[in-house]
Amino acid sequence: MKAKVAINGYGTIGKRVADAVAAQDDMEVVGVVKTRPSFEARIALEKGFALYTAAKENIEDFKKSKIEVSGTLEELLDKADIMIDATPGDTGEEYKKLYEKHGVKAIWEGGEEHELTGFSFNSEANYSDALGRDFARVVSCNTTGLVRVLYALDISFGVRKARVTLMRRAADPNDIKTGPINALIPDPIKLPSHHGPDVNSILPDIDITTMAVKTSTTLMHLHALNIELKKPCKEDDIIKVFEKRPRIMLVSSKDRIKSTAEAMELAKDMGRPRGDMWENVVWKDSIAINKGELYFFQAIHQESDVVPENVDAIRAMIEMEKDGASSIKKTNKALGIKSN
Ligand code: NAD
């Protein structure tokens, strides 16, 4: 039997997770929730997703726009095993009570605090801890990207210390309200940033400090990492470790991928839906051991790297697959991510 998945908040993350769930052979989308009629609502219907409204009062708006609605969020909850809550950050608490009332499991995204669920998820680092859980949070795009590389390095060499500078995209490409359009903003000014503690919500023993700068781009985040490892190693050893990971893509500037713009072009040329890049893009030729410490750059596609993690979290929480590596393989295969 397929797991019945509902999506509340059909925006940047929600619509991608819906497509990723629909691509799996062991789960199905039973409905998606929109607050207002929009082109996204129309396309959801065209894709065959049943559309529900967040509140009863909104049904009339949809009717006026001639968009067919199957019911309200509460009615959808009666049909679902699990809810992906991809509503904007900090709305989680309000919905949690409703999901609890209907006995539906739920996954929130990185805009919510760890405390909402008491459990933060990453497919490679803690899949087995998610088995059978009622509530979980898939950490943010930046944290997912950091956990993937730090976990890989920690199990291979031991991470003594990680110091990371995040150059964050200021807004998503569809966002016409957020800036800056011509500035670099230290964010937050008071260091360190929240990303380090967020990594510790999954990898509690890693000594990590982060700082972040908001940059006038919408494409991707760029991370500059400096890591002290416990075991001495060479650049090639790092490359070998990254090559074996399921969601790291090694690229090279010699291949003329020298920027986030070219990394996004690569995803489009690969025929990825919406031009998404689900993997961390690590520059192979940026990997350097200098004075005994590791340095490298990676780019993170904020709109999509958490998508496969949501699919794995569903499998773990519903206990459809006990082994994390098998779930990752299954998700990757269905999406078209090359498994190493
Ligand atoms: P978004 O604004 O693109 O989408 C949110 C959707 O929820 C919209 O369709 C909106 O209409 C709807 N919505 C708003 N209020 C609602 C409510 N009260 N009830 C139901 N639906 C409501 O947001 P997003 O970027 O997809 O972010 C969703 C979550 O994912 C947040 O926790 C965010 O922090 C996290 N996240 C975002 C990104 C990113 O880069 N966009 C990356 C990783 C994680």
Side-chain angles (χ1 to χ4, degrees), residues 8-14 33-36 40 54 86-89 91 94-95 109-112 140-141 169 172 302-303 306:
N8 187 15
Y10 192 73
T12 305
I13 301 299
V33 180
K34 288 254 7 128
T35 42
R36 281 180 297 272
E40 285 167 323
T87 57
T91 49
E94 167 197 336
Y95 282 120
E109 306 300 319
E112 299 295 338
S140 74
C141 45
R169 64 88 181 96
D172 287 336
Q302 75 281 354
E303 296 176 282
V306 299

Side-chain angles (χ1 to χ4, degrees), residues 13-283:
I13 301 299
K15 63 189 175 187
R16 286 174 167 80
V17 174
D19 288 351
V21 166
Q24 313 298 315
D25 62 11
D26 56 352
M27 46 188 86
E28 63 182 319
V29 177
V30 289
V32 306
V33 180
K34 288 254 7 128
T35 42
R36 281 180 297 272
S38 65
F39 72 93
E40 285 167 323
R42 284 187 205 283
I43 290 176
L45 282 176
E46 279 171 26
K47 287 184 178 210
F49 299 142
L51 200 63
Y52 291 80
T53 61
K56 225 179 189 157
E57 305 82 69
N58 305 129
I59 291 183
E60 212 39 50
D61 287 347
F62 282 86
K63 273 192 186 153
K64 274 188 207 147
S65 303
K66 299 195 169 34
I67 297 179
E68 187 196 331
V69 174
S70 300
T72 61
L73 168 63
E74 289 229 41
E75 286 164 329
L76 174 60
L77 283 167
D78 291 332
K79 299 186 167 71
D81 299 321
I82 191 160
M83 175 63 85
I84 300 287
D85 187 314
T87 57
D90 296 327
T91 49
E93 199 62 65
E94 167 197 336
Y95 282 120
K96 189 178 178 187
K97 294 185 195 96
L98 200 61
Y99 306 154
E100 268 171 335
K101 187 177 124 191
H102 288 263
V104 171
K105 292 176 184 262
I107 296 170
W108 282 269
E109 306 300 319
E112 299 295 338
E113 300 291 328
H114 169 80
E115 287 66 32
L116 177 70
T117 64
F119 177 71
S120 294
F121 178 82
N122 172 268
S123 306
E124 290 170 75
N126 64 358
Y127 183 95
S128 57
D129 297 335
L131 289 172
R133 274 187 187 270
D134 287 336
F135 299 125
R137 175 184 77 125
V138 169
V139 289
S140 74
C141 45
N142 276 308
T143 306
T144 295
L146 288 173
V147 169
R148 283 181 185 161
V149 288
L150 289 170
Y151 175 73
L153 294 169
D154 199 41
I155 56 171
S156 307
F157 311 107
V159 170
R160 176 163 296 124
K161 195 169 103 179
R163 300 293 178 254
V164 184
T165 303
L166 299 95
M167 286 147 272
R168 294 174 41 211
R169 64 88 181 96
D172 287 336
N174 68 347
D175 183 351
I176 58 170
K177 293 186 188 149
T178 317
I181 56 167
N182 184 23
L184 297 170
I185 307 177
D187 183 32
I189 292 267
K190 175 94 175 130
L191 296 173
S193 73
H194 73 276
H195 304 92
D198 206 29
V199 166
N200 289 142
S201 71
I202 293 179
L203 302 172
D205 299 330
I206 299 232
D207 171 354
I208 175 168
T209 304
T210 51
M211 41 188 156
V213 179
K214 237 192 215 182
T215 59
S216 4
T217 176
T218 63
L219 299 177
M220 296 179 97
H221 302 299
L222 183 74
H223 296 171
L225 298 100
N226 164 219
I227 300 169
E228 233 180 87
L229 297 169
K230 291 181 184 161
K231 263 198 236 161
C233 64
K234 301 197 182 73
E235 281 101 355
D236 275 352
D237 301 324
I238 305 290
I239 292 171
K240 274 186 204 136
V241 164
F242 285 166
E243 274 172 350
K244 289 202 185 86
R245 301 316 302 179
R247 290 180 186 153
I248 293 179
M249 181 181 291
L250 287 165
V251 299
S252 167
S253 68
K254 295 186 191 84
D255 218 12
R256 307 214 64 80
I257 301 170
K258 296 185 177 190
S259 66
T260 52
E262 287 142 333
M264 284 284 83
E265 194 65 12
L266 170 67
K268 289 181 206 161
D269 287 350
M270 289 171 80
R272 291 290 179 83
R274 300 186 177 88
D276 284 349
M277 180 60 88
W278 296 297
E279 304 94 324
N280 290 24
V281 176
V282 175
W283 273 273

